[in-house]
Structure formats: C-alpha cells, structure tokens
Amino acid sequence: MESSHINPKLRRQKASIDIEALFESIQQGNISALSQAITLVESTAGKDSAFAKAILGKALPYSGDSFRLGITGVPGVGKSTFIESLGSTLIESGRKVAVLAIDPSSSITRGSILGDKTRMEELVKSEKAFIRPSPAGTTLGGVARKTREAIVLCEAAGFDFIIIETVGVGQSETAVHSMTDFFLLLKLAGAGDDLQGIKRGIMEMADMIVINKADGENQTAAKHAKREFQNALHLLPEKEHGWSTKVLTASGLNHLGIEEVYQKITEFQNYTNESGSFENRRNNQELFWLHQTIEDQLKSEFYNRPEIQLLIEKLERQVLEKKITAFEAAERLLKS
Amino acid sequence: MESSHINPKLRRQKASIDIEALFESIQQGNISALSQAITLVESTAGKDSAFAKAILGKALPYSGDSFRLGITGVPGVGKSTFIESLGSTLIESGRKVAVLAIDPSSSITRGSILGDKTRMEELVKSEKAFIRPSPAGTTLGGVARKTREAIVLCEAAGFDFIIIETVGVGQSETAVHSMTDFFLLLKLAGAGDDLQGIKRGIMEMADMIVINKADGENQTAAKHAKREFQNALHLLPEKEHGWSTKVLTASGLNHLGIEEVYQKITEFQNYTNESGSFENRRNNQELFWLHQTIEDQLKSEFYNRPEIQLLIEKLERQVLEKKITAFEAAERLLKS
C-alpha cells in the first residue's frame, strides 16, 4: 500500500530527505508521508537518525491532542475483529483512528500481529484509518520507543484516536499501559481465558474489561464471566484517579455492545479531563519514559562492558557459594 | 542492656577491633558481641567499614541456616504481641529467635517499631531471643542492606529463626519479601483494615494471611474476614512454587491459633525444601540484591552529578512543554 501511493518527490529525496516537505505532507494527512516518517523513526540505519530526530522535532508541538487507547488480550480473543468493529464506530463519530502494535515476540518474524492487514478489511479501506504493524526491535524498550514516536507522528497527521495493541508477551502490557490514557483488557468467557488464568497485575492496570465474542450460545457464559470479573474487581484497591474499572460484554464480529464500549470510554475521557488526572497521567508518562530510558541505558552500558562481563559470572558464583555478600560483589563490580 | 553485658576486652579495642575475638564471641552466642557487630555494620563512620566487612566475611560461611520470616501489618494490628506470642512458641520448640525490623519512616526518629523493647517483655527476657530495632538510614536500600547484613550475623550467632518486621511504608514490604523465605501478612477483621484497604500487590506476596485479635466478640468478624480473604485469594494466579496462601485466625494476646501458624510455617518449610524452591528463592534473592545494588548505585551516581542536576529540571520541563521527546532528553542527559 505505502509503495504504490508514495509521493515520488519524497521518494527521490531518500538520500537527503526534505524534512519540510515531508512534514507538510504529514500535516495534510498524507498517509504515505506518515508511513515514510514512521519508517525513518523505526530505522536503525545511522544515516536516518538525524532525519528521524528532525521530523519528530517538527511533529512534537502538534502531538498530544488525541485519546490513546491500549488493548491487550491473548491470541484468539478476537482483537482484530474487535478493533475493526470499534474503529468503525469511532470513524462514524468523526474520529480519525490510527492502530499501532507492540509485539516484542515478533522481533524476528516482524509483525505477527496486524501483519496480515486483511484481518481489518474495513479499517484498511477507510481514509480515516491508519494501520501499522509492530516495529521490529531487539528489546521491548526499543520497540516501545518506536511506538511512542509513531504516536507523535500519527497525532501530527491529525489522528485523534490512537489504538495500541499488544498480545501481552512479557512486560509489553506494562509498556502499553505506560503510553496510553486508557487500558482495555479483552477476555473470553470460559475457554481457559477466565479469571484463573489472568496474568499478575493486569487486572489492576485495566480501566475496562470487555468479554468478547458475547454472541449466540456464548451470551450466558459471557454474562457469568462479567459478574465474576466484577466481583473480583471489588476486591482490588481503588485506583488513584478514582475511576472504577468497568466490565462489559461485546461481540466484535456482530458489532454488539461496541457503542457502549465507546460511550464508557468517552465518559472516562470527560471524567479524567475534569479531574485533571488525564493531564497528570500524561505528564507522569513522559517523565517515566525519560527516566526509564536513562536507567535502561545506564544498565546496558554497564553490563555490556567487557570487564564486567568477565567478572560478573565469577562474582555471582561467589555470592551463591557464600564467599562474599551480594553487596560486596556489587561494590567490586562497580569499582572495576 | 548491651552496655552492661559487654565484654570489656571488646570494648577497649574499639579503636582497633579484634575481629577474631569478636567473631568467636558471636559464634558462642554472645548477644553483646552480636550487638556490637551489628552496630559496626550499621555504622556510617568510614573507620568502621573495614571492620564491618571483615566481620561479615567471617560470618558469611556460617550464615543461611535459618528460616527467615517476614511480617507486615498496619500500626495497631498487634504485630508486637503476635511476634511475642509466636516467638514463645518458637522458643518452646527449641528455636533461637532473632527479631529485626525495617522501618524507613523511622530514619529520623530511629526505631519507631521495636524501639520500645518493653513491648515484647517475654522475648526480651529470654536468652534464646534477640531483638533489634530498625537501623537508621536515609534510603530504603540502605536500611535493607543493613538488615540483610544483620541477618547474616544473627545466623552466625546461631539464631535459626529470623523474623523481619515492617510497618509497610512505601516499598518496604517488597524489600522484606526479597529477603525472607516466608511472608506473613497480619490483618484485622473490620476496623478499616479489611480487603478493601489492602495495598496493591501485597496479597500476591503473602504466603500466609493471619487475621489477628480473633478473640472474644471479635471471633465472628474474624471468621468472616478469613472467608473473604480466602475467596479473594482464589482469584489470584497461583504462585510459581505451588504453595497456596493460607488464611488463619489468631490472637496474639490470648495465644490462640499460634501453634497452627507455626505448624503451617513448618509445612511450608518442608514443602519448599523438598521441591527445591526454598533454595531457589534464596539464590534468586542473592542475585536480586546484587543487581539491585548495582542499579541503585548507577542511578544515584548519575543523578547526583552536578551537571545532571543542573540539566535535568530544564529538560523535564522541555519534555512536558513538548519541546523535545522524553527519549531525546534522556540522550542529552546521558551524553553530558
């Protein structure tokens, strides 16, 4: 798609990209320009990094004016169909929807989620939607950074509803939670995807739980699961921002309950805007990523030093053999 | 107490401590010598640090052979009375009990918990018990380190049951959880200390929940609370080591249910010893503290640099004003 629609002018200038022209195209909502800019940001080639910085610098002042929705759920829960269904509701309400993905498990195969774009046929066809698969990356931190930067570019291109999808491998849900305004957990009734199998901490992150595939014979089980989740949520401590997690049933396939989902999201948006917790959460997220990046970098620089790599295994062994304390081992590593 | 019993030989040598003699006294179970060694380890005076290292180095090979129990609960839950009651059961069973505390809130006033030793009258009197208030410290990391080192010394002195108490300020419960074999959460029925008010993540850390003050008119409420906690625990994912969190009622004051608490702890000890998860948890804890210390140190060195302190506020502001991205701010700080 990107290659056939791409502006030939932008393409020719690959060796020396005209950032002004590219940014102008992005602001006009040109999807190809947006795609090209995201590719620049995702690029690991050294020559692209100055362009990436320049385009981000231009986009940044125009970013932030969107609602960022995180969605997670195990494979098979119906994420694509749900997002397609929610997306069409959003577009009907006049929103412009960008769908991005974080999937660290696909760093080798590239794009296991959203890779098959035909899974969101309607959204792909719409001019008011933009779909981008998971960026490649060797670390979750790297993937998360690229996704955060893609959000900035999408917002500068006028997308005012950003959906970040993840399959929830490792810490990816925490990463998505740390870059979105609202975190939605998609579940199935029964089928092993019930309360018992829920990942630690995930329920505390969720602002909404949707029992998907609540259609046909599944409806009774879905209602039961909804009650179960509601009971479980009562046992959790209240969130700082005072919003109590909502549990809904829906069918992405049959477009049932989707309007209610959107309505509750709007309620949340109004509620947190009024209380100031919306802006608060955004600011905290910015500072979180600033400090997280610093700490990741400090750690990786430290542990990648050849002298540390030589020493660390030996010291770890000595600690486990009670020859030195963990604290002394740490001191020796830090001194070397 | 320490000063009246202290070996005059040890005292005279304060300027140049005879580590051999001190360690010999510790191994003979001399409480005064143990106290002096812990004081050395807690000391922030530079001249003590070599002695602290030396005594720890001697004690380390003799450490580890104990059961380490973490206890937390809000003020008023009856921790001291519960520990006194459990401690007497332990001593009757032939154990030697050391009670240490982590309370970062007391870093200024020093020793708000366990500070008033008369609160554990019986334990204080027993020769088979050792009670030590919270060490002073400016950071939780510092307090935790001192407590971990005190554990080593207590174990070398022959204490085979170590209780670490905390009031649960900030991250102190996580710290205690990371240095103990078993984590016990003390609760009250009703009185605002019920399921609703429970701190995030704490239930997932607990190996046992004890509803304390289950005596007299309180018994019905305690039974009800017990059922509530049991239901809530069913909703949590199973622990890796396969032990399901037990909920008991007890009365520290009237010494009710304390034998059952001890029995369950023994069950846990046998169970995790057989499965190998006991040793596994210990090893993981050692490596956790090794890496945690490194990371804390890297961070504090970085953030304490004058050039970083000058720059960071400015860059944080620029991030919040959307002048630069969080990632670029991090890069600039790392480069400087």
Side-chain angles (χ1 to χ4, degrees):
Chain A
M1 194 174 119
E2 286 90 356
S3 56
S4 60
H5 285 73
I6 210 156
N7 181 342
K9 239 188 228 164
L10 299 175
R11 175 154 270 209
R12 241 186 296 126
Q13 292 156 342
K14 182 103 199 190
S16 158
I17 299 154
D18 183 344
I19 292 296
E20 293 289 342
L22 181 60
F23 183 64
E24 207 176 293
S25 293
I26 289 172
Q27 276 209 300
Q28 286 158 4
N30 182 321
I31 298 284
S32 310
L34 174 60
S35 279
Q36 194 193 353
I38 294 179
T39 304
L40 272 178
V41 161
E42 289 179 1
S43 167
T44 50
K47 66 180 169 56
D48 292 332
S49 117
F51 295 124
K53 255 186 207 164
I55 196 78
L56 274 171
K58 287 217 162 284
L60 204 54
Y62 299 93
S63 72
D65 207 13
S66 78
F67 192 77
R68 301 169 184 166
L69 176 81
I71 293 190
T72 188
V74 297
V77 77
K79 276 193 299 295
S80 297
T81 315
F82 180 83
I83 292 172
E84 167 114 338
S85 185
L86 178 62
S88 72
T89 294
L90 291 166
I91 287 168
E92 272 164 34
S93 320
R95 318 280 307 234
K96 283 187 73 184
V97 183
V99 184
L100 309 169
I102 282 202
D103 180 8
S105 69
S106 72
S107 57
I108 298 153
T109 57
R110 191 176 162 94
S112 75
I113 50 173
L114 295 184
D116 179 8
K117 287 193 186 180
T118 55
R119 284 160 69 214
M120 297 189 196
E121 279 181 19
E122 293 304 317
L123 276 188
V124 168
K125 276 187 256 165
S126 169
E127 279 186 6
K128 295 193 163 170
F130 174 73
I131 298 176
R132 179 87 183 187
S134 199
T138 48
T139 62
L140 175 59
V143 171
R145 173 178 181 158
K146 288 168 185 179
T147 307
R148 290 245 321 157
E149 292 174 339
I151 292 175
V152 166
L153 295 170
C154 289
E155 287 172 348
F159 289 94
D160 62 357
F161 204 103
I162 318 283
I163 296 176
I164 319 289
E165 176 188 354
T166 180
V167 283
V169 177
Q171 295 295 305
S172 69
E173 275 145 344
T174 311
V176 171
H177 182 253
S178 305
M179 61 174 76
T180 52
D181 307 311
F182 188 92
F183 195 65
L184 191 156
L185 170 61
L186 217 54
K187 296 295 284 178
L188 286 183
D193 191 37
D194 52 6
L195 212 42
Q196 291 302 310
I198 205 163
K199 236 168 109 182
R200 281 182 185 221
I202 187 92
M203 212 150 65
E204 299 184 338
M205 280 197 274
D207 297 299
M208 181 188 282
I209 298 172
V210 176
I211 320 289
N212 196 26
K213 303 194 182 177
D215 42 36
E217 289 175 4
N218 246 331
Q219 287 186 62
T220 320
K223 270 185 202 157
H224 179 74
K226 176 182 167 174
R227 248 194 325 271
E228 263 211 332
F229 275 102
Q230 278 171 331
N231 289 339
L233 285 165
H234 279 302
L235 303 174
L236 288 180
E238 209 178 272
K239 302 204 169 195
E240 312 87 67
H241 52 53
W243 170 265
S244 64
T245 306
K246 304 291 178 286
V247 188
L248 299 172
T249 61
S251 162
L253 192 65
N254 297 344
H255 200 73
L256 297 170
I258 303 295
E259 311 288 333
E260 285 80 355
V261 168
Y262 182 45
Q263 196 191 314
K264 286 287 173 206
I265 292 172
T266 312
E267 256 177 48
F268 174 91
Q269 200 173 359
N270 294 336
Y271 175 84
T272 53
N273 262 326
E274 264 172 48
S275 70
S277 67
F278 185 89
E279 206 194 328
N280 209 20
R281 184 161 166 174
R282 283 264 176 111
N283 285 347
N284 285 339
Q285 287 177 349
E286 291 297 338
L287 298 182
F288 166 82
W289 286 103
L290 166 57
H291 293 284
Q292 194 60 38
T293 308
I294 289 174
E295 286 157 27
D296 287 350
Q297 199 61 35
L298 289 175
K299 276 198 267 178
S300 86
E301 269 173 25
F302 181 81
Y303 287 113
N304 283 330
R305 277 186 213 162
E307 66 272 27
I308 298 298
Q309 290 189 325
L310 272 174
L311 212 53
I312 197 152
E313 261 186 71
K314 198 180 112 200
L315 285 172
E316 283 186 347
R317 207 168 45 242
Q318 290 187 352
V319 166
L320 295 182
E321 288 167 355
K322 286 191 228 157
K323 286 182 182 149
I324 54 170
T325 68
F327 303 108
E328 208 189 323
E331 266 171 29
R332 283 196 204 169
L333 283 165
L334 287 161
K335 261 184 204 154
S336 79
Chain B
M1 195 175 115
E2 286 91 354
S3 55
S4 60
H5 286 72
I6 210 157
N7 181 342
K9 240 189 226 164
L10 299 175
R11 173 152 272 208
R12 240 187 296 125
Q13 290 155 344
K14 181 98 198 193
S16 157
I17 299 156
D18 183 344
I19 292 297
E20 293 290 341
L22 180 61
F23 184 63
E24 206 177 292
S25 293
I26 290 173
Q27 276 207 300
Q28 286 159 1
N30 182 321
I31 298 283
S32 309
L34 174 60
S35 278
Q36 193 192 354
I38 295 180
T39 303
L40 273 178
V41 160
E42 288 180 2
S43 167
T44 50
K47 66 180 170 56
D48 292 331
S49 116
F51 294 123
K53 256 186 206 163
I55 196 78
L56 275 170
K58 287 218 162 282
L60 204 55
Y62 299 92
S63 71
D65 206 14
S66 80
F67 191 77
R68 301 169 185 167
L69 175 81
I71 293 190
T72 188
V74 296
V77 76
K79 277 194 298 296
S80 297
T81 315
F82 180 84
I83 292 173
E84 166 115 336
S85 185
L86 178 62
S88 70
T89 294
L90 291 166
I91 287 169
E92 273 163 36
S93 320
R95 319 279 307 234
K96 282 186 72 185
V97 183
V99 185
L100 308 169
I102 283 201
D103 179 8
S105 69
S106 72
S107 58
I108 298 154
T109 58
R110 189 175 164 97
S112 77
I113 50 174
L114 296 183
D116 180 7
K117 287 192 185 178
T118 56
R119 283 160 70 212
M120 296 190 196
E121 280 181 20
E122 293 305 317
L123 276 188
V124 168
K125 275 187 257 165
S126 169
E127 279 186 6
K128 295 191 164 172
F130 174 73
I131 299 176
R132 180 88 183 185
S134 198
T138 48
T139 63
L140 175 59
V143 171
R145 172 177 182 160
K146 287 166 185 179
T147 306
R148 291 245 321 158
E149 293 174 340
I151 293 175
V152 166
L153 295 170
C154 289
E155 288 172 348
F159 289 95
D160 63 355
F161 203 103
I162 318 282
I163 297 176
I164 319 289
E165 176 189 354
T166 179
V167 283
V169 176
Q171 295 295 305
S172 68
E173 276 144 345
T174 311
V176 170
H177 182 254
S178 304
M179 60 174 76
T180 51
D181 307 311
F182 188 92
F183 194 65
L184 191 157
L185 171 61
L186 217 54
K187 296 294 285 179
L188 286 182
D193 191 38
D194 51 5
L195 213 43
Q196 292 301 310
I198 205 163
K199 238 168 110 182
R200 282 183 183 218
I202 187 94
M203 213 150 64
E204 299 183 338
M205 280 197 274
D207 297 298
M208 182 188 281
I209 298 172
V210 176
I211 320 289
N212 196 26
K213 302 193 182 177
D215 42 36
E217 288 175 5
N218 246 329
Q219 289 186 62
T220 320
K223 272 185 201 157
H224 179 75
K226 178 181 168 175
R227 251 195 323 273
E228 263 209 334
F229 274 103
Q230 277 171 332
N231 289 339
L233 285 165
H234 280 302
L235 303 173
L236 288 181
E238 209 179 273
K239 300 203 172 198
E240 312 88 67
H241 52 53
W243 170 266
S244 64
T245 306
K246 304 291 179 284
V247 188
L248 299 172
T249 59
S251 163
L253 192 65
N254 297 344
H255 200 73
L256 297 170
I258 302 296
E259 312 288 335
E260 285 80 357
V261 167
Y262 182 45
Q263 197 192 312
K264 287 287 172 207
I265 292 172
T266 311
E267 257 177 47
F268 174 91
Q269 200 174 358
N270 294 336
Y271 174 84
T272 52
N273 262 327
E274 265 172 46
S275 69
S277 68
F278 185 89
E279 204 193 332
N280 209 20
R281 183 161 165 173
R282 283 263 177 112
N283 286 347
N284 286 338
Q285 287 178 348
E286 291 297 338
L287 298 181
F288 166 81
W289 286 103
L290 166 58
H291 292 285
Q292 193 60 38
T293 308
I294 289 174
E295 286 157 27
D296 286 351
Q297 200 61 36
L298 288 174
K299 276 198 266 178
S300 87
E301 269 173 24
F302 181 80
Y303 287 115
N304 282 330
R305 275 186 214 161
E307 67 270 30
I308 298 298
Q309 290 189 324
L310 272 173
L311 212 53
I312 196 151
E313 261 187 71
K314 198 180 113 200
L315 286 172
E316 283 187 345
R317 207 169 44 242
Q318 289 186 353
V319 167
L320 295 182
E321 286 167 356
K322 286 191 229 157
K323 286 183 180 148
I324 53 170
T325 67
F327 305 107
E328 208 190 322
E331 267 171 29
R332 283 197 204 170
L333 283 165
L334 287 161
K335 262 184 205 155
S336 80

